[in-house]
Amino acid sequence: MEWTMTANAPGQVCLMQGNEAIVRGALEAGINFAASYPGSPSSQVLGMLGKVAKERNFYAEWSTNETCAMEACIGASLANARSICIVKQNGLLFASDAIHCGAQHGVKGGMVVVTSDDPSAHSSTNEFDSRYQAMSANVPMLEPTSMQETKDIIPYAFELSERTHQIVIVRLTTRVCHGRGNVVLGELPEKPHQLQQVGEWDRMVCVSYLRSAMLEKLDMLRQEAENCPFNHYVGPEHPKELIVASGTGRLYGQEAIRRLGVGDRVGMLSLATIWPLPEETIVRHLQGVEKVLTLEEVDPVLEHNLQAIAGRHQMSIVFSGRGDGALPKIGELDPDNVAQAISLLTGAKLPEKKIASQEPLIERELTFCAGCPHRATFHILKKVLRQEKHPGVVIGDIGCYIMSGQAAGQYAFQACNCMGSGINLAEALGQLTHYGLDQKVVTVCGDSTFFHTIMPGLVDATYHNANMLLMVLDNSATAMTGFQPHPATGITAMGDQVPAMDIQKVVEGIGCKAEVADPFDVVETEKTIRRLLNAPGMNVLIMRQPCATLMSKKEKRPVRVYVDQNVCWGEGCGCDKYCSRVWGCPGNTWDFKNNKAYIDPVTCVGCGVCAKLCPSGAIKVEGGEEA
């Protein structure tokens, strides 16, 4: 059934993605304020909220980074606003100072932090488990399983936050964010939550003596957890074998129980209140149990806490799960590894698995999109550095260009830590060039990352005159997570046109020299990079060329790129199959059957850079305007 996000149709059943369910839950809660920095798998949430913000009369923004977003939501709560902050697991770590201090002084209006963890690191550099943050900060954490629970748990989280005057974290994982399921809509309020003036004696100040009040809240939250409507038990009254599940573990467990036919003997306790745990409820279900299997993403957090609870109550139970190897210690749960673990728990025989094909899948590295300006940037940079007396050092950062550590970027960089760290790693090496390190030092960052975290590092490197080059890869969007705007794009999350911030002027305002180059102008950009590498002190080069995928959505370039077979050298071009292996653009392909190069017209976006780099001159561009 077709539906709109703002349809006030209680009882209507809609097919929703998990991220859509978060948005709908926030609207039903009557939010006043929303802030986020994009990060998969929850990037779409703020984008959808921004589109309906004016219609529903609340404020939404893409913040410069996650700390800005978190602290803005804390500030909004001082006016009794219901605020929601959306981050991924890396972003929650980045904002940990703000949330730990916020937990000490608490909140006035309801504040919910949605964190999306990424088991198996599909779109992340790690699969960090956010539950440690909730435990460390002493704030409650809820974890829904289905799309319906995801929608319903958001208003519940706001109510819980306001009852306890504490931040509440809702933890999701990739399969919930991107999965789909039926959701019954609730009622939308006529207007957002009622704001209140900030009173003279309203206090949200982080001081040491407030820690005792925070711990008192935690005791109150334990009682709240005992009555949470999102905790469930299914199975026999007195099972010998119990499965305790959180998040998607419950769904995999239900499927495996059906496959193995053990529903009459195995109980399943599903917990949405994953911190603090409902200890009385857990103890009640552990009575008489001999074996417990824990299903959770990613670390054995729940498993270890269950062991501690059983130990406190002197229960002799054998626990298994992520911790003892019954389930993989890394990566996602799936129906097969969960069924295997339940088979070990119960002794039930696994049904035979039908194998569709014995042929192994070809492993492919990630690569840049066709026409990506980053490919040209790293091609030129690598070429220039190879001509230096000693190989240069290139430090990466987080964004599309992280793939430059692989074949896509000709293995361009030697190190990549966390978002915004590239300039700080490089600054240290740049200082060491004054003490005998005879190498050129380069670091790269994206335009969105520049505003997110690079500026403080640039201040540091400029003030201390580090001998290095920062290359800002300006492709006019936060491309890796879905083209969200940032301060240099001139548009807000709510669609308002605002003056764009000029990265070059920001850099010059800091006191650093800055130049602009076009990575598609291969000859001139090569000269500029070589000159700046040999210039003393801190230098910045802004590589400006819009993302090809973004531009292809806006306009079609009437350009035909093709290979003139009469000119192509074939395998004699100096580098075997140069166009497909060295350049590596998906639009440039090698036909092994006919032993020739050709351009894939479906993939090619018509940037024409390959024609400038082809050593034989066989790649031609016709019509339109070369990029």
Side-chain angles (χ1 to χ4, degrees), residues 20 38 72 105 133 243 318 329 379 389-390 450 469 567:
E20 291 178 308
H105 58 60
Q133 287 286 81
I243 296 167
V318 177
K329 294 183 183 292
H379 180 90
K389 181 174 65 172
H390 301 300
F450 174 83
L469 172 63
V567 180

PDB file of all heavy atoms in Angstrom, residues 20 38 72 105 133 243 318 329 379 389-390 450 469 567:
ATOM      1  N   GLU A  20      13.235   4.102   7.817  1.00  0.00           N
ATOM      2  CA  GLU A  20      11.949   4.796   7.710  1.00  0.00           C
ATOM      3  C   GLU A  20      11.157   4.654   9.002  1.00  0.00           C
ATOM      4  O   GLU A  20      10.471   5.592   9.435  1.00  0.00           O
ATOM      5  CB  GLU A  20      11.140   4.229   6.550  1.00  0.00           C
ATOM      6  CG  GLU A  20      11.699   4.536   5.177  1.00  0.00           C
ATOM      7  CD  GLU A  20      10.886   3.910   4.067  1.00  0.00           C
ATOM      8  OE1 GLU A  20      10.644   2.684   4.124  1.00  0.00           O
ATOM      9  OE2 GLU A  20      10.475   4.632   3.144  1.00  0.00           O
ATOM     10  N   PRO A  38      26.210  12.283   8.615  1.00  0.00           N
ATOM     11  CA  PRO A  38      25.915  11.046   7.892  1.00  0.00           C
ATOM     12  C   PRO A  38      26.899   9.917   8.165  1.00  0.00           C
ATOM     13  O   PRO A  38      28.111  10.139   8.220  1.00  0.00           O
ATOM     14  CB  PRO A  38      25.959  11.471   6.418  1.00  0.00           C
ATOM     15  CG  PRO A  38      26.699  12.767   6.391  1.00  0.00           C
ATOM     16  CD  PRO A  38      26.436  13.416   7.696  1.00  0.00           C
ATOM     17  N   ALA A  72      24.219  19.751  20.441  1.00  0.00           N
ATOM     18  CA  ALA A  72      23.048  20.556  20.072  1.00  0.00           C
ATOM     19  C   ALA A  72      21.774  19.925  20.621  1.00  0.00           C
ATOM     20  O   ALA A  72      20.876  20.632  21.112  1.00  0.00           O
ATOM     21  CB  ALA A  72      22.962  20.691  18.554  1.00  0.00           C
ATOM     22  N   HIS A 105      24.755  15.114  34.051  1.00  0.00           N
ATOM     23  CA  HIS A 105      23.792  16.156  34.431  1.00  0.00           C
ATOM     24  C   HIS A 105      22.373  15.849  33.981  1.00  0.00           C
ATOM     25  O   HIS A 105      21.426  16.473  34.424  1.00  0.00           O
ATOM     26  CB  HIS A 105      24.237  17.536  33.936  1.00  0.00           C
ATOM     27  CG  HIS A 105      24.440  17.648  32.447  1.00  0.00           C
ATOM     28  ND1 HIS A 105      23.456  17.414  31.525  1.00  0.00           N
ATOM     29  CD2 HIS A 105      25.547  18.008  31.730  1.00  0.00           C
ATOM     30  CE1 HIS A 105      23.927  17.629  30.309  1.00  0.00           C
ATOM     31  NE2 HIS A 105      25.195  17.974  30.391  1.00  0.00           N
ATOM     32  N   GLN A 133      29.559   1.710  25.219  1.00  0.00           N
ATOM     33  CA  GLN A 133      29.387   3.139  25.481  1.00  0.00           C
ATOM     34  C   GLN A 133      28.243   3.377  26.461  1.00  0.00           C
ATOM     35  O   GLN A 133      28.342   4.222  27.353  1.00  0.00           O
ATOM     36  CB  GLN A 133      29.113   3.886  24.177  1.00  0.00           C
ATOM     37  CG  GLN A 133      30.321   4.023  23.277  1.00  0.00           C
ATOM     38  CD  GLN A 133      31.308   5.056  23.791  1.00  0.00           C
ATOM     39  OE1 GLN A 133      32.119   4.774  24.687  1.00  0.00           O
ATOM     40  NE2 GLN A 133      31.256   6.243  23.240  1.00  0.00           N
ATOM     41  N   ILE A 243      17.481 -19.910  25.055  1.00  0.00           N
ATOM     42  CA  ILE A 243      18.176 -18.967  24.190  1.00  0.00           C
ATOM     43  C   ILE A 243      17.824 -17.563  24.669  1.00  0.00           C
ATOM     44  O   ILE A 243      16.641 -17.240  24.849  1.00  0.00           O
ATOM     45  CB  ILE A 243      17.752 -19.132  22.720  1.00  0.00           C
ATOM     46  CG1 ILE A 243      18.171 -20.519  22.205  1.00  0.00           C
ATOM     47  CG2 ILE A 243      18.362 -18.042  21.845  1.00  0.00           C
ATOM     48  CD1 ILE A 243      17.541 -20.888  20.886  1.00  0.00           C
ATOM     49  N   VAL A 318      25.586 -23.820  32.029  1.00  0.00           N
ATOM     50  CA  VAL A 318      26.611 -23.781  30.979  1.00  0.00           C
ATOM     51  C   VAL A 318      26.192 -22.738  29.943  1.00  0.00           C
ATOM     52  O   VAL A 318      25.126 -22.858  29.334  1.00  0.00           O
ATOM     53  CB  VAL A 318      26.780 -25.161  30.299  1.00  0.00           C
ATOM     54  CG1 VAL A 318      27.795 -25.070  29.168  1.00  0.00           C
ATOM     55  CG2 VAL A 318      27.205 -26.209  31.320  1.00  0.00           C
ATOM     56  N   LYS A 329      33.360 -15.206  16.455  1.00  0.00           N
ATOM     57  CA  LYS A 329      33.722 -14.075  17.315  1.00  0.00           C
ATOM     58  C   LYS A 329      33.665 -12.742  16.585  1.00  0.00           C
ATOM     59  O   LYS A 329      33.629 -11.686  17.206  1.00  0.00           O
ATOM     60  CB  LYS A 329      35.119 -14.304  17.903  1.00  0.00           C
ATOM     61  CG  LYS A 329      35.184 -15.497  18.860  1.00  0.00           C
ATOM     62  CD  LYS A 329      36.561 -15.630  19.458  1.00  0.00           C
ATOM     63  CE  LYS A 329      36.652 -16.864  20.355  1.00  0.00           C
ATOM     64  NZ  LYS A 329      35.847 -16.754  21.556  1.00  0.00           N
ATOM     65  N   HIS A 379      46.119   8.783  -9.234  1.00  0.00           N
ATOM     66  CA  HIS A 379      46.961   8.420 -10.370  1.00  0.00           C
ATOM     67  C   HIS A 379      48.070   9.455 -10.550  1.00  0.00           C
ATOM     68  O   HIS A 379      49.249   9.107 -10.696  1.00  0.00           O
ATOM     69  CB  HIS A 379      46.109   8.326 -11.640  1.00  0.00           C
ATOM     70  CG  HIS A 379      46.881   7.947 -12.860  1.00  0.00           C
ATOM     71  ND1 HIS A 379      47.072   6.644 -13.251  1.00  0.00           N
ATOM     72  CD2 HIS A 379      47.525   8.719 -13.780  1.00  0.00           C
ATOM     73  CE1 HIS A 379      47.802   6.614 -14.358  1.00  0.00           C
ATOM     74  NE2 HIS A 379      48.077   7.856 -14.703  1.00  0.00           N
ATOM     75  N   LYS A 389      63.201  11.458  -5.200  1.00  0.00           N
ATOM     76  CA  LYS A 389      64.414  10.705  -4.845  1.00  0.00           C
ATOM     77  C   LYS A 389      64.073   9.530  -3.931  1.00  0.00           C
ATOM     78  O   LYS A 389      64.571   8.418  -4.097  1.00  0.00           O
ATOM     79  CB  LYS A 389      65.411  11.636  -4.157  1.00  0.00           C
ATOM     80  CG  LYS A 389      66.723  10.955  -3.763  1.00  0.00           C
ATOM     81  CD  LYS A 389      67.737  11.955  -3.221  1.00  0.00           C
ATOM     82  CE  LYS A 389      67.288  12.595  -1.931  1.00  0.00           C
ATOM     83  NZ  LYS A 389      68.343  13.425  -1.303  1.00  0.00           N
ATOM     84  N   HIS A 390      63.185   9.794  -2.934  1.00  0.00           N
ATOM     85  CA  HIS A 390      62.699   8.741  -2.046  1.00  0.00           C
ATOM     86  C   HIS A 390      61.183   8.681  -2.155  1.00  0.00           C
ATOM     87  O   HIS A 390      60.545   9.725  -2.313  1.00  0.00           O
ATOM     88  CB  HIS A 390      63.097   9.014  -0.592  1.00  0.00           C
ATOM     89  CG  HIS A 390      64.572   9.117  -0.384  1.00  0.00           C
ATOM     90  ND1 HIS A 390      65.434   8.085  -0.664  1.00  0.00           N
ATOM     91  CD2 HIS A 390      65.345  10.147   0.055  1.00  0.00           C
ATOM     92  CE1 HIS A 390      66.667   8.466  -0.374  1.00  0.00           C
ATOM     93  NE2 HIS A 390      66.634   9.724   0.050  1.00  0.00           N
ATOM     94  N   PHE A 450      36.843  17.614   5.846  1.00  0.00           N
ATOM     95  CA  PHE A 450      37.540  18.866   6.157  1.00  0.00           C
ATOM     96  C   PHE A 450      36.790  19.635   7.240  1.00  0.00           C
ATOM     97  O   PHE A 450      37.372  20.095   8.225  1.00  0.00           O
ATOM     98  CB  PHE A 450      37.680  19.716   4.895  1.00  0.00           C
ATOM     99  CG  PHE A 450      38.268  21.082   5.144  1.00  0.00           C
ATOM    100  CD1 PHE A 450      39.643  21.249   5.237  1.00  0.00           C
ATOM    101  CD2 PHE A 450      37.449  22.199   5.298  1.00  0.00           C
ATOM    102  CE1 PHE A 450      40.188  22.513   5.472  1.00  0.00           C
ATOM    103  CE2 PHE A 450      37.985  23.452   5.544  1.00  0.00           C
ATOM    104  CZ  PHE A 450      39.362  23.603   5.631  1.00  0.00           C
ATOM    105  N   LEU A 469      51.994  18.521   2.686  1.00  0.00           N
ATOM    106  CA  LEU A 469      50.948  18.956   1.758  1.00  0.00           C
ATOM    107  C   LEU A 469      49.635  18.273   2.133  1.00  0.00           C
ATOM    108  O   LEU A 469      49.573  17.043   2.227  1.00  0.00           O
ATOM    109  CB  LEU A 469      51.327  18.582   0.318  1.00  0.00           C
ATOM    110  CG  LEU A 469      50.243  18.800  -0.757  1.00  0.00           C
ATOM    111  CD1 LEU A 469      49.882  20.281  -0.870  1.00  0.00           C
ATOM    112  CD2 LEU A 469      50.694  18.244  -2.102  1.00  0.00           C
ATOM    113  N   VAL A 567      44.245   2.163 -33.706  1.00  0.00           N
ATOM    114  CA  VAL A 567      45.357   2.848 -33.043  1.00  0.00           C
ATOM    115  C   VAL A 567      45.835   2.083 -31.809  1.00  0.00           C
ATOM    116  O   VAL A 567      47.013   2.134 -31.450  1.00  0.00           O
ATOM    117  CB  VAL A 567      44.928   4.282 -32.650  1.00  0.00           C
ATOM    118  CG1 VAL A 567      46.058   5.026 -31.945  1.00  0.00           C
ATOM    119  CG2 VAL A 567      44.470   5.052 -33.878  1.00  0.00           C
TER     120      VAL A 567
END
